[in-house]
Amino acid sequence: MAKTVLVINSGSSSIKYQLVDVENGDALASGLVEKIGEPTDGFYTHKYNGEKHKFTEPIPDHETGLKRVLEFFDQFGPNLKEYGLAAIGHRVVAGGAVFPEPALVTEKTIHQVEDLATLAPLHNGPEAKGAEVMKKLMPDVPAGFVFDSSFFQQLPAVSYTYALNKEVAEKYQIRRYGAHGTSHEYVGSVVPSLLNKPAEGLKQIVLHIGNGASASAQIGGRPVETSMGLTPLEGLVMGSRTGDIDPAVVFHLIRNAGLNVDELDKLFNKQSGMTGLTGRGDMRDVEQLAENGDENAQLALDIYHHRIVGYVGNYWAQLGGLDAITFTAGVGENSAETRAAVIDKFAFAGVKLDAEKNAIRSDEPRVISAADSSVAVCVVPTNEELAIARKVIKISEEGDVYGNKVA
Ligand code: ADP
Protein backbone atom coordinates (compact mmCIF):
# COMPACT_ATOMS: atom_id res chain seq x y z
CA MET A 1 0.00 0.00 0.00
CA ALA A 2 1.14 3.54 -0.73
CA LYS A 3 2.19 5.80 2.10
CA THR A 4 0.55 9.18 1.63
CA VAL A 5 0.39 12.58 3.32
CA LEU A 6 -2.38 15.12 2.87
CA VAL A 7 -0.60 18.48 2.64
CA ILE A 8 -2.74 21.49 3.48
CA ASN A 9 -1.96 25.13 2.82
CA SER A 10 -4.56 27.32 4.53
CA GLY A 11 -4.82 30.98 3.61
CA SER A 12 -7.16 33.63 4.94
CA SER A 13 -9.81 32.97 2.29
CA SER A 14 -8.49 29.87 0.54
CA ILE A 15 -7.18 26.35 1.18
CA LYS A 16 -4.93 24.39 -1.18
CA TYR A 17 -4.39 20.68 -0.66
CA GLN A 18 -2.50 17.83 -2.22
CA LEU A 19 -2.33 14.13 -1.48
CA VAL A 20 1.31 13.15 -1.86
CA ASP A 21 2.77 9.67 -2.22
CA VAL A 22 5.93 10.05 -0.15
CA GLU A 23 7.64 7.05 -1.70
CA ASN A 24 7.59 8.10 -5.34
CA GLY A 25 6.78 11.80 -4.86
CA ASP A 26 3.60 11.65 -6.99
CA ALA A 27 0.74 14.07 -6.37
CA LEU A 28 -2.23 11.65 -6.33
CA ALA A 29 -4.96 14.26 -5.93
CA SER A 30 -5.17 17.97 -5.32
CA GLY A 31 -7.66 20.73 -4.88
CA LEU A 32 -8.52 24.25 -4.01
CA VAL A 33 -11.13 25.92 -1.81
CA GLU A 34 -11.62 29.60 -2.64
CA LYS A 35 -13.50 32.60 -1.27
CA ILE A 36 -14.00 31.29 2.25
CA GLY A 37 -16.01 33.64 4.45
CA GLU A 38 -17.04 35.92 1.61
CA PRO A 39 -20.61 37.09 1.06
CA THR A 40 -20.66 35.64 -2.46
CA ASP A 41 -20.44 31.94 -3.31
CA GLY A 42 -17.15 30.13 -2.83
CA PHE A 43 -15.51 27.65 -5.19
CA TYR A 44 -14.22 24.12 -4.78
CA THR A 45 -12.02 22.29 -7.27
CA HIS A 46 -11.03 18.67 -6.62
CA LYS A 47 -8.69 16.92 -9.07
CA TYR A 48 -8.19 13.17 -9.20
CA ASN A 49 -7.45 10.68 -11.91
CA GLY A 50 -7.40 13.28 -14.66
CA GLU A 51 -10.87 14.52 -13.68
CA LYS A 52 -11.70 17.94 -12.33
CA HIS A 53 -14.77 18.33 -10.08
CA LYS A 54 -16.00 21.89 -9.55
CA PHE A 55 -18.61 23.26 -7.16
CA THR A 56 -19.95 26.66 -6.28
CA GLU A 57 -21.63 27.27 -2.92
CA PRO A 58 -21.24 29.52 0.11
CA ILE A 59 -18.25 28.56 2.31
CA PRO A 60 -18.75 30.40 5.60
CA ASP A 61 -15.56 29.17 7.31
CA HIS A 62 -12.51 26.87 7.13
CA GLU A 63 -14.30 24.07 8.98
CA THR A 64 -17.06 23.91 6.35
CA GLY A 65 -14.44 23.98 3.59
CA LEU A 66 -12.30 21.18 5.02
CA LYS A 67 -15.33 18.98 5.80
CA ARG A 68 -16.36 19.26 2.17
CA VAL A 69 -12.86 18.39 1.01
CA LEU A 70 -12.99 15.14 3.02
CA GLU A 71 -16.39 14.40 1.48
CA PHE A 72 -14.86 14.90 -1.99
CA PHE A 73 -12.20 12.32 -1.21
CA ASP A 74 -14.97 9.86 -0.18
CA GLN A 75 -17.13 10.67 -3.16
CA PHE A 76 -14.66 11.14 -6.02
CA GLY A 77 -11.57 9.42 -4.65
CA PRO A 78 -8.99 8.53 -3.83
CA ASN A 79 -10.22 6.83 -0.69
CA LEU A 80 -7.83 8.11 1.96
CA LYS A 81 -7.78 4.84 3.92
CA GLU A 82 -7.10 2.71 0.87
CA TYR A 83 -4.36 5.10 -0.15
CA GLY A 84 -2.57 4.69 3.15
CA LEU A 85 -3.01 8.17 4.62
CA ALA A 86 -0.18 8.22 7.17
CA ALA A 87 -0.20 11.88 8.21
CA ILE A 88 -1.48 15.38 7.54
CA GLY A 89 1.00 18.20 6.89
CA HIS A 90 0.20 21.86 7.47
CA ARG A 91 2.31 24.53 5.84
CA VAL A 92 2.98 27.53 8.09
CA VAL A 93 4.59 30.77 6.92
CA ALA A 94 6.05 32.07 10.17
CA GLY A 95 7.60 29.89 12.85
CA GLY A 96 9.77 32.74 14.15
CA ALA A 97 12.56 31.71 16.50
CA VAL A 98 10.12 29.37 18.29
CA PHE A 99 10.12 26.70 15.56
CA PRO A 100 13.52 26.04 14.01
CA GLU A 101 12.17 22.57 13.07
CA PRO A 102 8.81 21.01 12.15
CA ALA A 103 6.41 20.31 15.03
CA LEU A 104 3.63 17.82 15.65
CA VAL A 105 0.19 19.41 15.87
CA THR A 106 -0.91 19.59 19.52
CA GLU A 107 -3.13 22.04 21.35
CA LYS A 108 0.01 23.81 22.53
CA THR A 109 1.65 24.10 19.10
CA ILE A 110 -1.64 25.31 17.57
CA HIS A 111 -1.65 28.17 20.11
CA GLN A 112 2.02 28.90 19.49
CA VAL A 113 1.39 29.14 15.73
CA GLU A 114 -1.50 31.51 16.40
CA ASP A 115 0.67 33.64 18.68
CA LEU A 116 3.23 34.05 15.89
CA ALA A 117 0.63 35.84 13.76
CA THR A 118 2.33 39.17 14.50
CA LEU A 119 5.05 38.00 12.07
CA ALA A 120 2.60 36.93 9.35
CA PRO A 121 -0.74 38.56 10.02
CA LEU A 122 -2.44 37.14 6.92
CA HIS A 123 -1.16 33.61 7.28
CA ASN A 124 -0.61 32.15 10.74
CA GLY A 125 -4.20 32.57 12.00
CA PRO A 126 -5.77 30.60 9.14
CA GLU A 127 -2.96 28.03 9.26
CA ALA A 128 -3.54 27.35 12.96
CA LYS A 129 -7.27 27.19 12.29
CA GLY A 130 -6.80 24.67 9.48
CA ALA A 131 -4.79 22.41 11.80
CA GLU A 132 -7.34 22.74 14.60
CA VAL A 133 -10.20 21.80 12.27
CA MET A 134 -8.36 18.80 10.78
CA LYS A 135 -7.48 17.57 14.27
CA LYS A 136 -11.19 17.58 15.06
CA LEU A 137 -12.18 15.95 11.76
CA MET A 138 -9.43 13.28 11.75
CA PRO A 139 -8.28 12.89 15.37
CA ASP A 140 -6.53 9.58 14.73
CA VAL A 141 -4.23 10.74 11.94
CA PRO A 142 -0.90 12.26 13.08
CA ALA A 143 -0.43 15.83 11.89
CA GLY A 144 2.53 18.17 11.71
CA PHE A 145 3.34 21.82 11.08
CA VAL A 146 6.15 22.56 8.63
CA PHE A 147 7.43 26.11 8.77
CA ASP A 148 8.51 28.09 5.75
CA SER A 149 10.85 30.00 8.04
CA SER A 150 12.67 27.02 9.63
CA PHE A 151 15.42 26.62 7.07
CA PHE A 152 16.52 30.24 7.48
CA GLN A 153 16.72 29.92 11.26
CA GLN A 154 20.21 28.60 10.46
CA LEU A 155 21.29 31.91 8.91
CA PRO A 156 24.34 33.45 10.55
CA ALA A 157 23.70 36.54 12.71
CA VAL A 158 25.62 38.70 10.27
CA SER A 159 22.97 38.04 7.66
CA TYR A 160 19.81 38.01 9.79
CA THR A 161 20.56 41.12 11.86
CA TYR A 162 19.32 44.49 10.63
CA ALA A 163 21.28 47.64 11.45
CA LEU A 164 18.27 48.83 13.41
CA ASN A 165 18.46 50.07 16.98
CA LYS A 166 19.31 46.93 18.94
CA GLU A 167 16.90 47.50 21.81
CA VAL A 168 13.97 48.09 19.50
CA ALA A 169 14.89 45.13 17.32
CA GLU A 170 15.13 42.81 20.32
CA LYS A 171 11.98 44.04 21.97
CA TYR A 172 9.90 43.56 18.83
CA GLN A 173 11.75 40.48 17.47
CA ILE A 174 12.77 42.33 14.33
CA ARG A 175 15.24 40.38 12.22
CA ARG A 176 15.40 38.68 8.87
CA TYR A 177 13.37 35.45 9.07
CA GLY A 178 13.24 34.70 5.35
CA ALA A 179 10.47 32.78 3.59
CA HIS A 180 10.09 30.05 0.92
CA GLY A 181 12.55 28.12 3.13
CA THR A 182 11.04 24.73 2.36
CA SER A 183 11.54 25.37 -1.35
CA HIS A 184 15.10 26.73 -1.03
CA GLU A 185 16.10 23.74 1.10
CA TYR A 186 14.46 21.21 -1.23
CA VAL A 187 15.86 22.71 -4.44
CA GLY A 188 19.31 23.13 -2.90
CA SER A 189 19.27 19.46 -1.87
CA VAL A 190 18.62 18.27 -5.44
CA VAL A 191 21.55 20.16 -7.01
CA PRO A 192 24.53 18.07 -5.77
CA SER A 193 23.19 14.85 -7.32
CA LEU A 194 22.34 16.73 -10.51
CA LEU A 195 25.95 17.89 -10.76
CA ASN A 196 27.37 14.62 -9.49
CA LYS A 197 29.20 16.48 -6.76
CA PRO A 198 29.32 15.99 -2.99
CA ALA A 199 26.85 18.20 -1.11
CA GLU A 200 29.52 19.09 1.41
CA GLY A 201 31.03 22.48 0.73
CA LEU A 202 28.96 23.07 -2.43
CA LYS A 203 28.42 26.82 -2.90
CA GLN A 204 25.16 27.70 -4.55
CA ILE A 205 22.56 30.35 -5.17
CA VAL A 206 18.90 29.36 -5.45
CA LEU A 207 16.52 31.77 -7.18
CA HIS A 208 12.91 31.00 -6.27
CA ILE A 209 11.09 33.32 -8.63
CA GLY A 210 7.35 32.91 -8.92
CA ASN A 211 4.68 35.36 -7.97
CA GLY A 212 6.58 35.80 -4.73
CA ALA A 213 10.33 35.78 -5.31
CA SER A 214 13.39 35.20 -3.16
CA ALA A 215 17.07 34.31 -3.45
CA SER A 216 19.24 32.27 -1.12
CA ALA A 217 22.95 31.55 -0.85
CA GLN A 218 23.91 28.16 0.58
CA ILE A 219 27.10 26.35 1.50
CA GLY A 220 26.86 22.58 1.91
CA GLY A 221 23.07 22.81 2.20
CA ARG A 222 23.13 25.45 4.93
CA PRO A 223 21.78 28.93 4.23
CA VAL A 224 24.15 31.87 4.55
CA GLU A 225 21.97 34.58 3.00
CA THR A 226 18.39 35.15 1.92
CA SER A 227 16.57 38.07 0.38
CA MET A 228 13.25 38.04 2.23
CA GLY A 229 13.28 39.69 5.63
CA LEU A 230 11.02 40.18 8.62
CA THR A 231 8.27 39.53 6.06
CA PRO A 232 8.26 38.45 2.40
CA LEU A 233 8.30 42.09 1.26
CA GLU A 234 12.07 42.52 1.18
CA GLY A 235 14.37 41.59 -1.68
CA LEU A 236 13.58 40.86 -5.31
CA VAL A 237 10.95 42.62 -7.42
CA MET A 238 7.84 40.39 -7.31
CA GLY A 239 4.46 39.98 -8.98
CA SER A 240 2.88 42.64 -6.78
CA ARG A 241 5.51 43.45 -4.09
CA THR A 242 8.11 46.19 -4.27
CA GLY A 243 10.99 44.14 -2.88
CA ASP A 244 13.82 46.40 -1.63
CA ILE A 245 12.92 50.06 -1.38
CA ASP A 246 14.16 52.95 0.74
CA PRO A 247 12.06 52.76 3.96
CA ALA A 248 11.92 56.56 3.86
CA VAL A 249 9.38 56.17 1.04
CA VAL A 250 7.01 55.13 3.85
CA PHE A 251 7.69 58.33 5.83
CA HIS A 252 7.33 60.35 2.64
CA LEU A 253 3.93 58.83 1.80
CA ILE A 254 2.64 59.27 5.35
CA ARG A 255 3.69 62.91 5.37
CA ASN A 256 2.75 63.85 1.83
CA ALA A 257 0.01 61.47 0.68
CA GLY A 258 -1.65 60.97 4.07
CA LEU A 259 -1.66 57.17 3.66
CA ASN A 260 -2.31 55.02 6.72
CA VAL A 261 -0.64 51.73 7.65
CA ASP A 262 -3.16 49.47 5.91
CA GLU A 263 -3.05 51.54 2.73
CA LEU A 264 0.73 51.43 2.71
CA ASP A 265 0.72 47.70 3.36
CA LYS A 266 -1.61 47.20 0.39
CA LEU A 267 0.36 49.54 -1.85
CA PHE A 268 3.69 47.82 -1.15
CA ASN A 269 2.44 44.21 -1.06
CA LYS A 270 -0.40 44.13 -3.58
CA GLN A 271 -0.17 47.10 -5.91
CA SER A 272 3.54 47.32 -6.66
CA GLY A 273 6.15 45.08 -8.30
CA MET A 274 5.25 44.06 -11.87
CA THR A 275 1.56 44.82 -11.20
CA GLY A 276 2.39 48.35 -10.10
CA LEU A 277 4.83 48.97 -12.93
CA THR A 278 2.79 47.52 -15.81
CA GLY A 279 -0.74 46.74 -14.61
CA ARG A 280 0.05 43.02 -15.14
CA GLY A 281 1.18 40.69 -12.35
CA ASP A 282 1.68 37.67 -14.57
CA MET A 283 5.14 37.50 -16.05
CA ARG A 284 3.83 35.89 -19.26
CA ASP A 285 1.72 39.00 -19.93
CA VAL A 286 4.60 41.36 -19.22
CA GLU A 287 6.94 39.39 -21.50
CA GLN A 288 4.28 39.41 -24.22
CA LEU A 289 3.78 43.17 -23.92
CA ALA A 290 7.53 43.76 -24.14
CA GLU A 291 7.77 41.50 -27.15
CA ASN A 292 5.09 43.62 -28.83
CA GLY A 293 7.25 46.67 -28.33
CA ASP A 294 5.74 48.09 -25.13
CA GLU A 295 8.61 50.16 -23.71
CA ASN A 296 7.13 50.42 -20.26
CA ALA A 297 6.87 46.62 -19.99
CA GLN A 298 10.45 46.30 -21.25
CA LEU A 299 11.65 48.70 -18.56
CA ALA A 300 9.76 46.69 -15.91
CA LEU A 301 11.47 43.49 -17.11
CA ASP A 302 14.84 45.22 -17.05
CA ILE A 303 14.23 46.36 -13.45
CA TYR A 304 13.17 42.84 -12.50
CA HIS A 305 16.32 41.28 -14.00
CA HIS A 306 18.58 44.06 -12.67
CA ARG A 307 17.55 43.29 -9.10
CA ILE A 308 18.16 39.54 -9.51
CA VAL A 309 21.59 40.17 -11.05
CA GLY A 310 22.45 42.41 -8.09
CA TYR A 311 21.58 39.67 -5.62
CA VAL A 312 23.52 37.01 -7.52
CA GLY A 313 26.60 39.25 -7.61
CA ASN A 314 26.26 40.08 -3.95
CA TYR A 315 25.80 36.45 -2.89
CA TRP A 316 28.64 35.23 -5.11
CA ALA A 317 30.96 37.56 -3.21
CA GLN A 318 29.47 36.60 0.18
CA LEU A 319 30.00 32.93 -0.69
CA GLY A 320 33.55 33.58 -1.82
CA GLY A 321 33.03 31.49 -4.96
CA LEU A 322 30.19 29.71 -6.67
CA ASP A 323 29.42 26.21 -7.99
CA ALA A 324 25.80 26.58 -9.11
CA ILE A 325 22.96 28.98 -9.79
CA THR A 326 19.57 27.28 -9.78
CA PHE A 327 16.22 28.63 -10.99
CA THR A 328 12.90 27.45 -9.57
CA ALA A 329 9.17 28.39 -9.18
CA GLY A 330 6.78 29.67 -11.86
CA VAL A 331 9.05 32.18 -13.59
CA GLY A 332 12.34 30.41 -12.86
CA GLU A 333 11.08 27.07 -14.19
CA ASN A 334 9.30 28.41 -17.25
CA SER A 335 10.83 31.64 -18.47
CA ALA A 336 13.89 30.93 -20.61
CA GLU A 337 14.00 34.69 -21.28
CA THR A 338 14.40 35.55 -17.59
CA ARG A 339 17.10 32.92 -17.14
CA ALA A 340 19.00 34.19 -20.15
CA ALA A 341 18.65 37.86 -19.15
CA VAL A 342 20.15 37.11 -15.72
CA ILE A 343 22.87 34.66 -16.73
CA ASP A 344 24.08 36.68 -19.73
CA LYS A 345 25.11 39.43 -17.30
CA PHE A 346 27.69 37.02 -15.86
CA ALA A 347 29.35 36.32 -19.21
CA PHE A 348 32.28 38.46 -17.97
CA ALA A 349 32.88 35.82 -15.29
CA GLY A 350 32.64 32.90 -17.69
CA VAL A 351 29.07 31.80 -16.93
CA LYS A 352 27.43 30.50 -20.09
CA LEU A 353 24.08 28.97 -20.89
CA ASP A 354 23.58 26.24 -23.44
CA ALA A 355 20.88 28.05 -25.46
CA GLU A 356 19.24 24.81 -26.62
CA LYS A 357 19.08 23.34 -23.13
CA ASN A 358 17.71 26.61 -21.78
CA ALA A 359 14.89 26.54 -24.34
CA ILE A 360 13.73 23.00 -23.48
CA ARG A 361 10.54 22.74 -21.41
CA SER A 362 10.55 19.94 -18.89
CA ASP A 363 9.34 19.00 -15.43
CA GLU A 364 12.66 17.33 -14.67
CA PRO A 365 15.61 18.87 -12.80
CA ARG A 366 18.24 19.74 -15.39
CA VAL A 367 21.54 21.49 -16.06
CA ILE A 368 21.21 24.26 -18.67
CA SER A 369 24.73 25.71 -18.70
CA ALA A 370 27.28 25.14 -21.45
CA ALA A 371 29.90 22.45 -20.83
CA ASP A 372 32.62 25.10 -20.40
CA SER A 373 30.62 27.41 -18.12
CA SER A 374 32.55 28.54 -15.02
CA VAL A 375 29.46 27.97 -12.86
CA ALA A 376 26.73 25.35 -13.42
CA VAL A 377 23.28 26.75 -14.11
CA CYS A 378 20.32 24.50 -13.27
CA VAL A 379 16.54 24.42 -13.30
CA VAL A 380 14.94 22.39 -10.50
CA PRO A 381 11.14 22.37 -10.29
CA THR A 382 10.27 23.05 -6.68
CA ASN A 383 8.06 20.61 -4.81
CA GLU A 384 7.15 22.11 -1.47
CA GLU A 385 4.35 19.60 -0.94
CA LEU A 386 6.72 16.64 -1.23
CA ALA A 387 9.25 18.32 1.08
CA ILE A 388 6.49 19.01 3.64
CA ALA A 389 5.16 15.44 3.33
CA ARG A 390 8.60 13.92 3.97
CA LYS A 391 9.21 16.09 7.00
CA VAL A 392 5.82 15.27 8.49
CA ILE A 393 6.30 11.53 8.01
CA LYS A 394 9.63 11.81 9.82
CA ILE A 395 8.22 13.57 12.91
CA SER A 396 5.14 11.35 12.97
CA GLU A 397 7.44 8.32 13.17
CA GLU A 398 10.23 9.68 15.35
CA GLY A 399 8.60 12.53 17.29
CA ASP A 400 9.57 16.19 16.93
CA VAL A 401 12.53 18.05 18.46
CA TYR A 402 10.24 19.66 21.06
CA GLY A 403 9.57 16.31 22.76
CA ASN A 404 6.13 15.62 21.22
CA LYS A 405 5.44 12.07 20.06
CA VAL A 406 2.51 10.44 18.32
CA ALA A 407 0.61 8.50 21.00
P1 ADP B 1 3.45 31.49 -6.32
O1 ADP B 1 4.47 32.43 -5.78
O2 ADP B 1 2.06 32.06 -6.31
O3 ADP B 1 3.55 30.07 -5.81
P2 ADP B 1 4.34 30.36 -8.83
O4 ADP B 1 5.65 29.86 -8.40
O5 ADP B 1 3.29 29.38 -9.18
O6 ADP B 1 3.78 31.44 -7.86
O7 ADP B 1 4.61 31.31 -10.09
C1 ADP B 1 3.53 31.94 -10.71
C2 ADP B 1 4.08 32.88 -11.76
O8 ADP B 1 4.88 32.15 -12.70
C3 ADP B 1 2.98 33.51 -12.60
O9 ADP B 1 2.59 34.73 -12.07
C4 ADP B 1 3.66 33.71 -13.92
O10 ADP B 1 4.06 35.03 -13.98
C5 ADP B 1 4.90 32.87 -13.92
N1 ADP B 1 4.94 31.96 -15.07
C6 ADP B 1 4.33 30.78 -15.23
N2 ADP B 1 4.60 30.27 -16.45
C7 ADP B 1 5.40 31.17 -17.09
C8 ADP B 1 6.03 31.25 -18.37
N3 ADP B 1 5.88 30.29 -19.27
N4 ADP B 1 6.79 32.33 -18.64
C9 ADP B 1 6.93 33.30 -17.74
N5 ADP B 1 6.38 33.29 -16.53
C10 ADP B 1 5.62 32.25 -16.20
Side-chain angles (χ1 to χ4, degrees):
M1 189 165 66
K3 194 192 247 183
T4 62
V5 174
L6 179 60
V7 177
I8 295 178
N9 191 348
S10 303
S12 51
S13 66
S14 71
I15 301 167
K16 279 189 211 157
Y17 60 92
Q18 195 179 96
L19 186 69
V20 182
D21 183 326
V22 273
E23 266 134 32
N24 59 20
D26 285 352
L28 298 171
S30 65
L32 186 57
V33 184
E34 291 170 283
K35 296 203 167 197
I36 300 169
E38 295 198 8
T40 54
D41 276 351
F43 306 113
Y44 292 98
T45 313
H46 182 82
K47 286 195 231 167
Y48 173 55
N49 229 352
E51 283 176 19
K52 211 184 225 185
H53 306 273
K54 287 187 164 209
F55 302 91
T56 307
E57 66 187 29
I59 313 171
D61 50 35
H62 285 70
E63 181 159 357
T64 311
L66 286 168
K67 259 192 196 148
R68 281 299 253 161
V69 168
L70 294 183
E71 285 168 17
F72 296 154
F73 275 103
D74 283 343
Q75 207 176 337
F76 305 113
N79 181 297
L80 291 175
K81 278 213 184 80
E82 276 171 27
Y83 271 80
L85 181 68
I88 298 167
H90 297 275
R91 179 183 182 202
V92 181
V93 169
V98 180
F99 291 111
E101 297 283 342
L104 285 167
V105 172
T106 66
E107 266 176 42
K108 183 176 171 197
T109 56
I110 290 174
H111 287 303
Q112 286 173 309
V113 168
E114 253 167 11
D115 289 344
L116 286 161
T118 42
L119 297 176
L122 299 180
H123 295 101
N124 275 43
E127 287 156 355
K129 185 78 203 161
E132 192 183 356
V133 169
M134 286 308 291
K135 195 167 174 321
K136 200 161 113 188
L137 296 175
M138 301 190 109
D140 300 331
V141 182
F145 287 120
V146 175
F147 302 89
D148 237 12
S149 52
S150 288
F151 183 54
F152 294 120
Q153 279 294 307
Q154 302 174 62
L155 282 176
V158 70
S159 130
Y160 73 65
T161 310
Y162 289 120
L164 178 70
N165 179 283
K166 205 174 163 77
E167 268 173 44
V168 172
E170 277 171 9
K171 183 163 177 200
Y172 295 99
Q173 296 171 282
I174 298 170
R175 49 164 281 181
R176 186 176 281 123
Y177 291 103
H180 293 150
T182 309
S183 174
H184 283 278
E185 181 180 24
Y186 171 81
V187 170
S189 75
V190 172
V191 172
S193 54
L194 198 55
L195 300 181
N196 244 327
K197 284 191 171 172
E200 206 183 305
L202 193 86
K203 294 179 173 177
Q204 56 171 322
I205 293 172
V206 174
L207 298 167
H208 175 116
I209 43 180
N211 204 5
S214 60
S216 71
Q218 309 181 16
I219 302 182
R222 286 178 74 88
V224 294
E225 265 292 359
T226 195
S227 59
M228 283 181 168
L230 174 77
T231 76
L233 185 56
E234 190 178 346
L236 304 177
V237 177
M238 310 185 207
S240 66
R241 297 189 187 113
T242 56
D244 295 336
I245 190 166
D246 183 346
V249 173
V250 174
F251 320 149
H252 184 84
L253 286 171
I254 293 171
R255 291 189 185 119
N256 297 297
L259 296 189
N260 66 31
V261 173
D262 291 335
E263 289 163 340
L264 284 163
D265 194 323
K266 193 168 162 200
L267 176 67
F268 282 49
N269 275 299
K270 299 253 163 62
Q271 301 172 329
S272 295
M274 299 314 264
T275 303
L277 290 171
T278 68
R280 306 293 178 95
D282 193 305
M283 208 53 167
R284 284 165 287 204
D285 296 342
V286 185
E287 284 178 353
Q288 190 60 54
L289 283 173
E291 218 175 286
N292 296 344
D294 184 322
E295 286 178 15
N296 183 53
Q298 186 57 53
L299 175 62
L301 284 179
D302 291 345
I303 296 167
Y304 186 90
H305 301 145
H306 184 82
R307 183 80 54 87
I308 300 174
V309 169
Y311 269 89
V312 172
N314 173 355
Y315 287 0
W316 192 336
Q318 302 287 6
L319 287 167
L322 190 60
D323 297 302
I325 301 172
T326 302
F327 289 87
T328 192
V331 181
E333 290 167 28
N334 296 302
S335 172
E337 293 84 353
T338 300
R339 296 191 297 254
V342 171
I343 296 304
D344 288 352
K345 286 279 182 184
F346 294 93
F348 76 92
V351 193
K352 254 187 262 169
L353 283 180
D354 177 316
E356 258 172 53
K357 287 184 181 160
N358 186 38
I360 291 171
R361 287 190 165 272
S362 158
D363 291 335
E364 295 299 315
R366 55 204 187 272
V367 179
I368 56 166
S369 42
D372 60 346
S373 177
S374 59
V375 171
V377 183
C378 313
V379 178
V380 174
T382 191
N383 193 340
E384 287 163 292
E385 285 79 11
L386 177 60
I388 291 171
R390 283 182 179 155
K391 283 173 190 278
V392 170
I393 283 290
K394 188 161 187 282
I395 58 169
S396 71
E397 289 172 355
E398 298 170 9
D400 65 22
V401 300
Y402 315 101
N404 300 305
K405 277 205 178 328
V406 174

